[in-house]
Amino acid sequence: MQPPGTTLLVIDDDDKARQSLSALLEGNGYDVLQATNAGSGLTLFNTRHPELILCDLQLGDNQGFELVRQMTESAHGAPVIVMSADGAMNDVVQALRLGASDFLLNPLNDPEVLEHAVRRALDRYRLRLENERIRERLERANRELEVHLKELRDDQAAGHQVQLNMLPVTPWVSGEYTLEHKLIPSLYLSGDFVDYFRVSDSQLAFYLADVSGHGSSSAFVTVLLKFMTTRLLYERRKLEGQGRIEFKPSDVLGHINRSLISCKLGKHVTMLGGVIDEQDQTLTYSIGGHLPLPVIYADGEAHYLTGKGRPVGLFEDAEYQDQTIPLPERFSLTLCSDGVLDCLQGATLKEKEARLPVLIAEQDGRMQGIMASLGLGPDKTMPDDISVLVLSRNAE
């Protein structure tokens, strides 16, 4: 039995045949409309929208074919089963070409054949309607997705521009020192960040930070880092004046550690920070859980600086230590995020770390050569953010 409301339309000018067919269909649970000619049949088709039409081809004045054409070309799209005498197969072929979905031969002596044809046509019709509904939903969802993607791209582009605006000029020359950086995000936004700036007339500060994770949330923390360091420098200058001030890397890392924990962002940072004293020609640096360590290159040799410390933003009791070293007359100092290790040859992390100072020495500590040896270009895509900061003095 069909569910209530399944409406069929029978069009036949033979009263006995039409009523007999309608009785069989009603006995199977269908609601049946009847029409005796093409005109009334088309009216019922347009006003009642039956799910299936059974139409006799031998209507008066050969109207059956024109009626089939009009119904199959209608936007309503309901299937049409044509009925024809056994000897009129040419008529059936013509009707099928006009869009009829199936045919039955008169007289209809087997009710099971009728029921099978009707069920099959209805199943196909309903499946087509469901497919159309699914397609419409998918098209609507795709349109909405395109809108959301455009909004996301616009947001990402705005965030990317914000990050670019926060980064320092590269290269930047200040006195005897040159600083330059390269930053390659794995996504549109980067969780890596570098900065360098004047602390006073005789002090130069720099840092490289790698925020945990990727994308917008990590990029947001880089904005905080810029704000925190700038705020701390402002407070120190306000307290101590515009001359030489106390600006220790360990204090910077400690300040950021406390601030990130209080923000409860679920993010932490590995950092390398340093301050160059141009009067004493020394470098004071502090390490916050970052690998690889800084690599200093001088007199044709490169080696890691020593030091250790906890990641920034994880442990409330974390303490950071300052280490001070004298600076050669000519040298370069290279800071890298851990994404650089993915670019180095070696089967283990230890082998990759051992390779980095060798590569830097081979390139005389120069940014261009280092990036080329790592295989990193502006269009390179990597699974992790990559940042490189090179500080050099009196480089030839």
Side-chain angles (χ1 to χ4, degrees):
M1 300 291 288
Q2 288 293 315
T6 304
T7 302
L8 310 184
L9 170 60
V10 176
I11 307 172
D12 196 333
D13 55 5
D14 186 324
D15 292 339
K16 182 178 179 180
R18 184 184 68 255
Q19 292 170 4
S20 175
L21 177 59
S22 298
L24 286 174
L25 294 171
E26 288 172 348
N28 286 325
Y30 299 102
D31 296 333
V32 181
L33 305 172
Q34 298 184 42
T36 60
N37 55 59
S40 60
L42 188 60
T43 299
L44 287 172
F45 173 82
N46 290 325
T47 57
R48 301 293 296 275
H49 302 297
E51 292 186 54
L52 174 67
I53 302 92
L54 294 99
C55 179
D56 183 47
L57 284 176
Q58 280 72 47
L59 295 176
D61 297 329
N62 241 0
Q63 292 180 321
F65 294 101
E66 177 60 21
L67 180 58
V68 168
R69 186 190 65 78
Q70 292 184 51
M71 290 188 296
T72 55
E73 291 180 356
S74 167
H76 178 37
V80 177
I81 297 177
V82 296
M83 299 175 292
S84 181
D86 190 9
M89 289 306 296
N90 288 336
D91 291 347
V92 170
V93 171
Q94 182 180 349
L96 293 174
R97 288 174 176 170
L98 290 172
S101 64
D102 204 350
F103 68 93
L104 292 171
L105 297 177
N106 286 324
L108 299 175
N109 297 320
D110 191 339
E112 290 186 2
V113 172
L114 171 65
E115 176 63 12
H116 176 72
V118 170
R119 282 184 177 273
R120 182 173 61 182
L122 286 172
D123 287 345
R124 290 176 177 174
Y125 174 58
R126 290 164 181 168
L127 179 61
R128 187 176 76 248
L129 290 179
E130 181 62 22
N131 287 338
E132 290 176 355
R133 284 192 290 269
I134 292 173
R135 186 180 67 252
E136 290 173 357
R137 288 198 296 269
L138 287 175
E139 290 175 350
R140 183 168 58 253
N142 284 335
R143 288 193 296 270
E144 293 173 354
L145 180 60
E146 283 295 328
V147 172
H148 294 323
L149 285 175
K150 184 181 183 303
E151 293 175 351
L152 179 60
R153 285 192 293 267
D154 290 345
D155 289 344
Q156 295 277 301
H160 181 63
Q161 190 59 48
V162 168
Q163 279 198 309
L164 290 179
N165 292 340
M166 291 194 308
L167 290 169
V169 174
T170 183
W172 181 60
V173 179
S174 183
E176 296 179 332
Y177 294 91
T178 299
L179 296 97
E180 54 185 325
H181 69 268
K182 298 291 184 183
L183 199 152
I184 303 175
S186 60
L187 301 173
Y188 208 61
L189 298 173
S190 175
D192 284 3
F193 192 70
V194 298
D195 200 7
Y196 35 84
F197 46 88
R198 274 278 167 197
V199 176
S200 69
D201 290 342
S202 61
Q203 293 167 286
L204 186 64
F206 60 89
Y207 68 85
L208 182 147
D210 184 352
V211 183
S212 60
H214 302 280
S216 301
S217 60
S218 297
F220 173 72
V221 176
T222 66
V223 178
L224 289 180
L225 294 179
K226 179 77 171 183
F227 169 77
M228 293 173 194
T229 53
T230 302
R231 180 67 181 181
L232 182 60
L233 180 59
Y234 170 79
E235 291 175 352
R236 292 294 171 85
R237 282 177 175 168
K238 185 177 180 181
L239 180 66
E240 302 180 24
Q242 293 299 315
R244 186 179 179 84
I245 66 175
E246 193 75 11
F247 195 73
K248 296 180 179 179
S250 59
D251 291 343
V252 176
L253 268 59
H255 172 69
I256 295 173
N257 183 64
R258 293 187 295 272
S259 299
L260 286 179
I261 290 174
S262 66
C263 288
K264 298 179 180 180
L265 298 174
K267 291 287 185 179
H268 66 273
V269 185
T270 63
M271 292 186 68
L272 302 167
V275 174
I276 290 178
D277 188 319
E278 294 171 295
Q279 289 183 353
D280 298 337
Q281 297 302 324
T282 59
L283 166 65
T284 300
Y285 65 93
S286 186
I287 296 171
H290 191 90
L291 289 175
L293 294 169
V295 177
I296 189 165
Y297 169 78
D299 299 324
E301 296 183 355
H303 62 85
Y304 286 112
L305 298 183
T306 60
K308 61 181 179 179
R310 288 179 168 185
V312 180
L314 276 181
F315 306 100
E316 292 184 3
D317 61 346
E319 295 182 357
Y320 301 96
Q321 305 298 321
D322 288 317
Q323 299 192 61
T324 301
I325 63 170
L327 291 174
E329 183 179 352
R330 285 190 174 86
F331 76 96
S332 73
L333 183 69
T334 302
L335 285 66
C336 305
S337 63
D338 60 1
V340 165
L341 297 175
D342 295 330
C343 306
L344 295 170
Q345 295 179 351
T348 65
L349 178 60
K350 185 176 181 180
E351 291 177 355
K352 290 174 179 287
E353 288 182 323
R355 173 61 185 156
L356 182 58
V358 175
L359 181 149
I360 291 173
E362 291 172 348
Q363 300 303 324
D364 297 327
R366 298 180 182 276
M367 173 68 83
Q368 185 174 356
I370 292 171
M371 296 298 288
S373 295
L374 292 171
L376 297 173
D379 299 323
K380 184 73 172 181
T381 301
M382 296 297 294
D384 194 8
D385 298 326
I386 290 177
S387 54
V388 179
L389 169 60
V390 175
L391 180 153
S392 58
R393 179 188 181 197
N394 294 327
E396 295 179 355

